[in-house]
Amino acid sequence: MVGQGLWNDALVHADDQVGEGVPAELAVFLRGAVDGRPVKIAPSACEGCGGRVFFVLVNASGAERECSGCGSRAFIADSEEYWNEESWEDDEPGVAGCPCGSEEFEAAVAFSLGDDGSVRWVTVGLRCIKDGFSGVYADWKIDFGPTDHLLTMV
């Protein structure tokens, strides 16, 4: 396939970008979970204390994280716009949990990019700090523009 290759046994696109601080296992997992478009994968870090471990609330249209160190909260990408009872319908946010029972995670976001470089899909990946289990806990389509501001909202 033109423009693709392998990195840690995961199919990657030549234009993929993985931010510093993304755990390798989570980056590989996220790359395997998204379509064939190029992605930018960014780590979540608390703006308050720099922490990288979170409790996360998720539903189909968004995610909100709470730093386990200082308690600061932040929405991921455009989640805040849809984080209300009117938008939830039958999809009220719930606490993300690992099969091992832990609720503390490292988080990263894969932004799938369109041909013009705009964000087309947001995929939230979490890696359990207790046992290393990785999973996609939320993903949603972006159908507006411009989208550059979303790339910093992880």
Side-chain angles (χ1 to χ4, degrees):
M1 299 178 146
V2 176
Q4 295 189 351
L6 287 175
W7 179 68
N8 288 351
D9 296 327
L11 189 63
V12 295
H13 192 281
D15 294 328
D16 283 353
Q17 298 174 34
V18 178
E20 188 174 325
V22 177
E25 302 89 356
L26 191 51
V28 170
F29 182 84
L30 279 168
R31 176 67 258 180
V34 299
D35 60 22
R37 289 186 291 213
V39 294
K40 288 187 179 183
I41 300 174
S44 285
C46 177
E47 288 186 21
C49 70
R52 293 186 180 261
V53 177
F54 303 95
F55 299 100
V56 184
L57 290 172
V58 295
N59 70 4
S61 60
E64 180 184 24
R65 60 179 172 77
E66 178 183 343
C67 178
S68 68
C70 72
S72 292
R73 300 178 80 92
F75 290 99
I76 294 177
D78 64 339
S79 298
E80 185 172 17
E81 295 176 38
Y82 306 99
W83 209 254
N84 58 62
E85 291 182 27
E86 294 168 7
S87 299
W88 295 336
E89 294 179 20
D90 292 329
D91 189 26
E92 191 170 327
V95 176
C98 179
C100 78
S102 178
E103 296 177 348
E104 292 185 281
F105 297 93
E106 294 175 293
V109 179
F111 297 99
S112 295
L113 307 176
D115 292 338
D116 62 354
S118 63
V119 176
R120 290 291 146 236
W121 206 265
V122 176
T123 304
V124 178
L126 303 178
R127 181 178 180 276
C128 177
I129 63 162
K130 185 174 179 183
D131 70 0
F133 174 84
S134 293
V136 169
Y137 282 76
D139 65 334
W140 61 93
K141 184 176 171 119
I142 301 296
D143 56 7
F144 62 85
T147 61
D148 291 346
H149 67 288
L150 298 177
L151 297 171
T152 62
M153 300 173 74
V154 295

